[in-house]
Amino acid sequence: MRGKKPLLMANNSLGNTDGPLFTNSSAVARKTCYYLDRFQIFHSGPPTTEYIVNCTLNAVLAVLAILGNGLVLQALRRSAALRPASRALVYSLAASDLLVGLTVQPFYVLYKTAEILNMHQLYCVTGIGFHLSANVFSAVSFLTVTAIATDRLLALHLGSRYQRTVTLPRVVTVIVTMWVLTGLWIFNWVWDIKIYRKFNVIVVTICLVFCTSAYARLGYRLRQLRVRTMLRWRDAESTTNQEERSSSSGSKSKLRFGAYKRSVANMFYVYILMLICYVPYLAMFVVIQTTTVTKAKIVTLSYTMTLLFANSAFNPFLYCWRIQEIRSEVILILAKFSCKNN
């Protein structure tokens, strides 16, 4: 934007929209709001029961995301069982999920509540805060899941060199770079929304293709390694005593293989859960951008958006179910908290 414009404008012009306005939108949504006008197409009309139910769902999910990811972050700080580099990646993912519960969903609830109550200034401020924070933390989560897939792939291909190559300082540098670049890139949302959307589509597509191919590759290689390892173990069982003395190294190799296989499976579940939560929204977004806008489609989009945010509340339960080290620490934290209260 070349010239300065006031944040709030009382007229009803919609000079910065990217699509036709749904004509039955609420009164506050029809007013112009700096930077927020481009999202007018996504208003479903006057407040309905679906609106209120969706806000209630987001409020509940926000509480679950805050409590769950808070526990996971504390558990990761206490746990020494997980490898530091892997722990840092899960920590980044849990931190972005925590911030979804702390900022994105409260902004969304206030944003929609302000629309229902016809509070224009609150509507504009919280609406811009919602869209900016949602884009930042969703992008960080997406990139972190991609980084985790990359980490597991490197562990497979580098073998014994993995420990020396993928160090904690390097992983932290990658994580900080992701957070900083995502925070800076979001400003392009302000200056050129069309470039921002095109770039996001490209990045999301690359991440989805890479993660899917990475886990397919990992699954294929793990099956190959499993067959080879089983053949070695069978040969070792039929060897002489001299060869059996080296079976301790074989048992260590078996343990390492089992631990790596579990880590791949755990992160694959994280990726699948992200797909379940993200893909419906992405699909609905494309439908709305390419077809005639109707109230039913907008309401559906709002619920798929809630499902996307729900990923932040579901992840802590997945960690506790699949990752024993996190589950054990969470149980200890809750036990200590219960003892203090008693």
Side-chain angles (χ1 to χ4, degrees):
M1 312 296 284
R2 294 181 181 178
K4 293 184 178 179
K5 294 183 180 179
L7 178 63
L8 304 176
M9 298 176 67
N11 59 58
N12 290 332
S13 65
L14 297 170
N16 203 15
T17 55
D18 286 326
L21 176 65
F22 189 66
T23 57
N24 198 26
S25 60
S26 58
V28 68
R30 286 199 301 269
K31 295 180 182 178
T32 320
C33 181
Y34 193 31
Y35 298 135
L36 199 58
D37 295 340
R38 62 197 67 182
F39 294 102
Q40 296 289 1
I41 190 175
F42 301 119
H43 289 285
S44 59
T48 61
T49 303
E50 292 88 352
Y51 236 179
I52 298 169
V53 169
N54 200 30
C55 285
T56 304
L57 284 173
N58 273 278
V60 173
L61 289 169
V63 173
L64 291 176
I66 292 168
L67 295 177
N69 288 289
L71 279 171
V72 169
L73 289 173
Q74 182 64 17
L76 288 169
R77 288 181 60 189
R78 292 161 51 99
S79 176
L82 290 172
R83 187 173 175 272
S86 300
R87 187 166 70 240
L89 288 169
V90 178
Y91 196 96
S92 174
L93 185 57
S96 64
D97 287 340
L98 176 67
L99 289 170
V100 168
L102 279 173
T103 60
V104 178
Q105 290 176 292
F107 268 135
Y108 179 79
V109 173
L110 289 172
Y111 169 44
K112 292 303 178 183
T113 301
E115 184 174 354
I116 292 171
L117 299 178
N118 201 26
M119 301 169 66
H120 186 231
Q121 185 169 0
L122 180 63
Y123 164 81
C124 285
V125 173
T126 55
I128 292 171
F130 160 68
H131 285 291
L132 288 174
S133 59
N135 278 278
V136 169
F137 300 130
S138 297
V140 169
S141 296
F142 218 90
L143 292 173
T144 304
V145 170
T146 306
I148 289 172
T150 305
D151 173 68
R152 295 297 79 202
L153 204 58
L154 287 173
L156 178 67
H157 287 289
L158 293 177
S160 59
R161 292 178 294 144
Y162 172 76
Q163 300 280 353
R164 298 191 304 272
T165 305
V166 184
T167 60
L168 179 59
R170 289 176 177 174
V171 171
V172 170
T173 300
V174 170
I175 292 171
V176 171
T177 301
M178 284 192 306
W179 280 81
V180 171
L181 290 181
T182 304
L184 293 175
W185 172 245
I186 199 65
F187 285 104
N188 203 51
W189 178 87
V190 174
W191 302 113
D192 196 329
I193 188 67
K194 291 182 179 179
I195 292 178
Y196 178 80
R197 282 179 178 170
K198 289 178 182 178
F199 184 81
N200 283 359
V201 168
I202 293 171
V203 171
V204 168
T205 302
I206 291 173
C207 288
L208 286 175
V209 171
F210 175 81
C211 286
T212 302
S213 60
Y215 282 112
R217 172 71 175 168
L218 286 167
Y220 175 73
R221 288 288 295 149
L222 283 173
R223 283 193 296 271
Q224 285 186 323
L225 289 172
R226 183 169 173 267
V227 171
R228 292 176 186 174
T229 306
M230 287 180 67
L231 290 174
R232 290 196 193 108
W233 293 336
R234 287 175 184 174
D235 292 341
E237 288 175 356
S238 60
T239 55
T240 60
N241 291 335
Q242 181 179 359
E243 291 173 326
E244 285 178 356
R245 282 197 293 269
S246 64
S247 64
S248 60
S249 62
S251 62
K252 290 180 182 178
S253 175
K254 182 179 179 180
L255 289 173
R256 285 196 299 270
F257 176 77
Y260 174 72
K261 183 179 177 181
R262 283 193 301 273
S263 72
V264 171
N266 293 342
M267 294 303 104
F268 178 69
Y269 277 107
V270 171
Y271 173 61
I272 291 298
L273 179 60
M274 186 193 72
L275 283 183
I276 293 171
C277 294
Y278 276 63
V279 169
Y281 171 78
L282 296 173
M284 202 63 218
F285 183 85
V286 171
V287 168
I288 288 177
Q289 290 288 338
T290 55
T291 62
T292 304
V293 180
T294 64
K295 181 177 179 179
K297 290 177 183 177
I298 300 299
V299 170
T300 303
L301 180 73
S302 68
Y303 278 104
T304 58
M305 186 184 297
T306 299
L307 177 62
L308 185 152
F309 298 149
N311 181 242
S312 299
F314 295 157
N315 274 337
F317 294 99
L318 181 60
Y319 300 149
C320 291
W321 171 47
R322 294 294 308 180
I323 305 176
Q324 182 181 354
E325 296 84 356
I326 293 179
R327 181 172 64 249
S328 300
E329 290 295 338
V330 167
I331 291 172
L332 286 174
I333 292 169
L334 292 176
K336 288 182 178 180
F337 179 78
S338 178
C339 290
K340 287 181 180 179
N341 287 340
N342 294 333

